[in-house]
Amino acid sequence: MGGDQFELEEDRDGPSELLQSLRSKATELLLREEWEESILVYTQFIDLSRSQISKIGGSGSDSDSISKLRRSLCLALCNRAEARARLRDYLEAMRDCDQALEIENTHFKTLLCKGKVLLGLSKYSLALECFKTALLDSQASDNLETVTVYIEKCKKLEFQAKTGAFDLSDWILSGFRGRSPELAEFIGSIEIKKSEVSGRGLFATKNIVAGTLILVTKAVAIERGILGNGESGEKAQLIMWKNFIEEVTESVIKCDRTHRVISTLSTGQDEDNLEIPEISLFRPDEAFGDSKRNLETEKLLSILDVNSLVEDAVSAKVMGKNKEYYGVGLWTLASFINHSCIPNARRLHVGDYAMVHASRDIKAGEEISFAYFDVKSPLEKRKEMAESWGFCCGCSRCKFESLLFVTNQEIREIEMGLERGVDAGNAVYMVEEGMKRWKVKGKDKGLLRASYWGVYDDIYNSDRLMKRWGRKIPTMEVVVDSVSDVIGSDERLMKMAVEGMMKKNGSCSNIVEMEKIMKLGKGVYGKVVSKKKAMKTLLGLE
């Protein structure tokens, strides 16, 4: 419901003092935003109203009193729906709305409430029908602007959901002013299949160009906070995790579809025998379910342990006010994305949404992958980090480097030199000359350069080292291009390219270099930043 304010209709034609007292109390609780308490009182009012209607109807008289009672009942159901929607109990809110509309099928306030509930469920076309029907009510003339705003919002979100045409440029140029933009949920050209890496994964069904949006998904639940240092930070994180578990548990109980979606996620056990769910299950237009179920606590905790994502991960970027916080959430479809040391995707976090886009070109049939940790690290370091995550990476890069390291004494000497603190220029020179002797060609060069990124970064950021070694090693542009080609774009590559251009030209006037930097920017932020001025702002060039 997004915190929208709502007006209560006045209805003073109560059949008894008790009904009037209950209605007044419920209204007061609703206005004070005491949602749970108002639901309890509205339930008393609704039950009593239905009893009175049945009693009066059974006597076969006083149709005027029944009509007044039915109007009061309609309004009470609508207001209870508002309260339930604020508690994200959307299924029960929908039931209340439908019961109210059985009494008066063009009741303005109920149609407005139902439309907002459907928006909250990302059912844009159904919400649009509700708002259009609301225009038929006599009250619509006094609320035309409100309804028109909702209709335009539905049309925009429905278009985004169908096309993936999102643009955050204006929000960025405003300095992330106001609330985060409302986004549609979107699923691009992907499917869920068995993964050679681990369990199941997301796979491209078509070729995907770098920067292209792959999916947009709203968190089932998310918890944010500012963490302190040391023991206080650990305590704050534990409290956040407890609150997060409670939020997810509540969502599972309240919504059958949420239960079904979360139930498909891995617990970390028996990965090879997991069922492959249809991608349609994760689309918001999936039909409503009627049952409310719970997940065993132990199973739910295992699911959250394996599938929860943090907003400030290596392959993520937080935009807007959220970047001030530490956030943990559950984005169900995104949690199917496995790790690779040659990742091809990144995600942006905007409000409660995760936007996943290609960080480099992806071929049809290729698995979508994130970097769970810093993949610009040597093989042994990556092995340690993978172990801390509870898996052993078997990507093609790790296999290539493992084979090279087994058969090559020079690589081990370079590793030992780095441990002793050898001059960065010398280390880079040894790697580059070694690749010639080891017959490392093409994209494999980018893999090794990524593994020794630290020394490349040191030398390109040192005038002293560049003066000594600059003519003996590849240019910064060549290295950036080769690394981004194999592991996708990230902030460090982008920063190096920007600083290199500014150092060389003193400005961003070189069109060719600027285009390369903008391409890197699309790899980091995606094509959802379509305006050059907005991208330059993010790159620090405006």
Side-chain angles (χ1 to χ4, degrees), residues 358-371:
S359 58
R360 59 176 174 83
D361 293 346
I362 302 173
K363 293 180 180 178
E366 186 179 348
E367 183 170 0
I368 310 298
S369 56
F370 285 147

Side-chain angles (χ1 to χ4, degrees), residues 46-201:
I46 289 165
D47 291 345
L48 183 57
S49 294
R50 283 173 170 158
S51 175
Q52 287 285 345
I53 290 170
S54 178
K55 183 177 179 181
I56 297 172
S59 67
S61 61
D62 206 351
S63 59
D64 187 47
S65 293
I66 290 178
S67 178
K68 289 177 181 177
L69 273 170
R70 284 172 62 81
R71 287 200 302 272
S72 294
L73 178 59
C74 177
L75 180 57
L77 285 164
C78 175
N79 286 341
R80 188 171 71 174
E82 288 276 5
R84 283 175 161 166
R86 297 304 181 98
L87 295 173
R88 297 181 69 181
D89 194 352
Y90 293 133
L91 188 59
E92 289 300 328
M94 284 293 295
R95 285 196 177 110
D96 280 345
C97 286
D98 288 339
Q99 288 174 27
L101 292 172
E102 285 176 9
I103 298 169
E104 187 178 339
N105 62 5
T106 61
H107 188 249
F108 177 79
K109 188 172 182 292
T110 301
L111 286 165
L112 203 62
C113 176
K114 184 176 179 179
K116 289 188 286 184
V117 169
L118 288 165
L119 267 181
L121 292 167
S122 302
K123 296 179 181 293
Y124 315 115
S125 58
L126 292 176
L128 182 60
E129 288 177 24
C130 274
F131 294 127
K132 284 182 176 178
T133 306
L135 291 174
L136 302 175
D137 192 277
S138 58
Q139 287 190 48
S141 57
D142 298 326
N143 297 271
L144 188 59
E145 186 176 350
T146 299
V147 180
T148 302
V149 167
Y150 278 117
I151 287 174
E152 291 306 312
K153 182 187 288 187
C154 287
K155 289 179 178 177
K156 178 183 177 182
L157 294 174
E158 188 174 19
F159 178 75
Q160 288 179 346
K162 287 180 177 179
T163 64
F166 295 74
D167 191 356
L168 303 177
S169 298
D170 291 338
W171 182 54
I172 292 164
L173 291 170
S174 75
F176 305 108
R177 193 171 296 119
R179 292 172 60 189
S180 302
E182 192 164 357
L183 306 174
E185 294 203 65
F186 166 77
I187 299 176
S189 303
I190 54 174
E191 61 182 341
I192 304 170
K193 289 170 54 179
K194 187 173 177 59
S195 170
E196 292 182 6
V197 176
S198 175
R200 304 156 303 176

Side-chain angles (χ1 to χ4, degrees), residues 98-308:
D98 288 339
Q99 288 174 27
L101 292 172
E102 285 176 9
I103 298 169
E104 187 178 339
N105 62 5
T106 61
H107 188 249
F108 177 79
K109 188 172 182 292
T110 301
L111 286 165
L112 203 62
C113 176
K114 184 176 179 179
K116 289 188 286 184
V117 169
L118 288 165
L119 267 181
L121 292 167
S122 302
K123 296 179 181 293
Y124 315 115
S125 58
L126 292 176
L128 182 60
E129 288 177 24
C130 274
F131 294 127
K132 284 182 176 178
T133 306
L135 291 174
L136 302 175
D137 192 277
S138 58
Q139 287 190 48
S141 57
D142 298 326
N143 297 271
L144 188 59
E145 186 176 350
T146 299
V147 180
T148 302
V149 167
Y150 278 117
I151 287 174
E152 291 306 312
K153 182 187 288 187
C154 287
K155 289 179 178 177
K156 178 183 177 182
L157 294 174
E158 188 174 19
F159 178 75
Q160 288 179 346
K162 287 180 177 179
T163 64
F166 295 74
D167 191 356
L168 303 177
S169 298
D170 291 338
W171 182 54
I172 292 164
L173 291 170
S174 75
F176 305 108
R177 193 171 296 119
R179 292 172 60 189
S180 302
E182 192 164 357
L183 306 174
E185 294 203 65
F186 166 77
I187 299 176
S189 303
I190 54 174
E191 61 182 341
I192 304 170
K193 289 170 54 179
K194 187 173 177 59
S195 170
E196 292 182 6
V197 176
S198 175
R200 304 156 303 176
L202 292 187
F203 290 78
T205 57
K206 295 180 180 178
N207 291 341
I208 302 174
V209 177
T212 301
L213 201 59
I214 296 171
L215 65 92
V216 180
T217 179
K218 190 176 183 180
V220 170
I222 190 166
E223 187 71 18
R224 296 189 181 97
I226 296 175
L227 302 181
N229 296 319
E231 193 175 325
S232 63
E234 291 177 10
K235 186 177 180 181
Q237 200 164 347
L238 284 172
I239 293 171
M240 285 177 62
W241 182 250
K242 178 177 177 292
N243 293 340
F244 171 59
I245 292 169
E246 289 175 356
E247 282 185 63
V248 176
T249 302
E250 190 175 355
S251 295
V252 168
I253 292 171
K254 286 179 177 177
C255 181
D256 180 65
R257 179 174 174 269
T258 300
H259 175 276
R260 283 184 287 127
V261 168
I262 291 179
S263 295
T264 67
L265 302 183
S266 170
T267 60
Q269 303 295 320
D270 199 21
E271 293 276 348
D272 293 334
N273 295 315
L274 291 173
E275 184 182 346
I276 309 297
E278 291 292 331
I279 198 77
S280 59
L281 178 63
F282 299 86
R283 298 187 186 280
D285 52 7
E286 174 79 0
F288 283 106
D290 291 330
S291 62
K292 289 187 172 186
R293 290 180 281 179
N294 202 349
L295 276 175
E296 293 177 11
T297 302
E298 187 177 345
K299 182 178 180 181
L300 182 59
L301 289 176
S302 296
I303 288 172
L304 294 181
D305 188 48
V306 172
N307 298 281
S308 300

